[in-house]
Amino acid sequence: MTGIMYVRGDASAPQGKGVKIIAHVCNDLGGWGKGFVLALSRRWPEPEAAFRRWHRERARNGFGLGAAQFVQVGPYLWVANMVGQRGIRTGRSTGVPVRYEAIDTALGALADKAVELGASVHMPRIGCGLAGGKWSRVEPLIEERLVARGIPVTVYDYGD
């Protein structure tokens, strides 16, 4: 196992050669408007449009916690919309929206897709921004689901 590579930079502009999948966590309300998704939407309209359509048609397509949707945005580049957050945090919220079991399930689907495409995976610290999760809980899931299967994973820390 090679482990996770940590770099400073923008996960929406992944480094390296070959097929790449940018993975991130979405909520189960169909909301797309804060956090990392804004960087994705600045680069490509397809991930947001696909996510909103997926949510709108959820009665017949498997949308829900633990689901993953793969959207191709370039010849060698995909975005993985992974539903790993129940609702969103509001001023009245108690607890955090992150759902580790759902992230774990979605990471399993991501691993299968990465193997199928021969892709590396690139992400911010998923589930740890607006979802309120702890990296100490997410990192082992990534190691178990992706790294253990030989999938190269790069985690991007944005800013200084």
Side-chain angles (χ1 to χ4, degrees):
M1 294 198 323
T2 56
I4 299 169
M5 186 166 84
Y6 291 88
V7 300
R8 289 235 172 265
D10 181 355
S12 72
Q15 305 167 9
K17 298 198 180 326
V19 179
K20 297 184 268 306
I21 302 172
I22 300 168
H24 70 107
V25 167
C26 306
N27 63 65
D28 64 351
L29 296 178
W32 182 292
K34 286 188 175 175
F36 181 69
V37 297
L38 297 178
L40 293 175
S41 290
R42 277 194 293 274
R43 292 184 188 275
W44 311 281
E46 298 92 350
E48 178 180 358
F51 177 75
R52 291 188 184 281
R53 185 170 49 255
W54 188 31
H55 177 262
R56 196 170 48 249
E57 299 169 359
R58 65 191 174 280
R60 55 187 179 278
N61 67 15
F63 178 95
L65 284 169
Q69 178 190 53
F70 302 96
V71 182
Q72 191 165 10
V73 295
Y76 303 102
L77 188 59
W78 297 72
V79 172
N81 294 329
M82 302 187 305
V83 184
Q85 182 181 326
R86 159 99 48 216
I88 56 173
R89 193 183 292 191
T90 66
R92 298 182 309 276
S93 300
T94 57
V96 295
V98 69
R99 292 297 178 267
Y100 298 109
E101 312 76 35
I103 290 174
D104 188 44
T105 301
L107 286 170
L110 173 61
D112 291 343
K113 187 70 170 182
V115 167
E116 173 194 323
L117 295 172
S120 57
V121 173
H122 303 260
M123 64 180 71
R125 291 187 186 235
I126 59 170
C128 297
L130 296 171
K134 293 187 175 10
W135 188 246
S136 61
R137 298 269 313 268
V138 176
E139 185 183 46
L141 303 177
I142 294 167
E143 289 172 346
E144 186 179 314
R145 293 292 185 179
L146 301 172
V147 175
R149 290 184 65 182
I151 299 162
V153 176
T154 302
V155 172
Y156 295 75
D157 287 315
Y158 192 75
D160 303 331

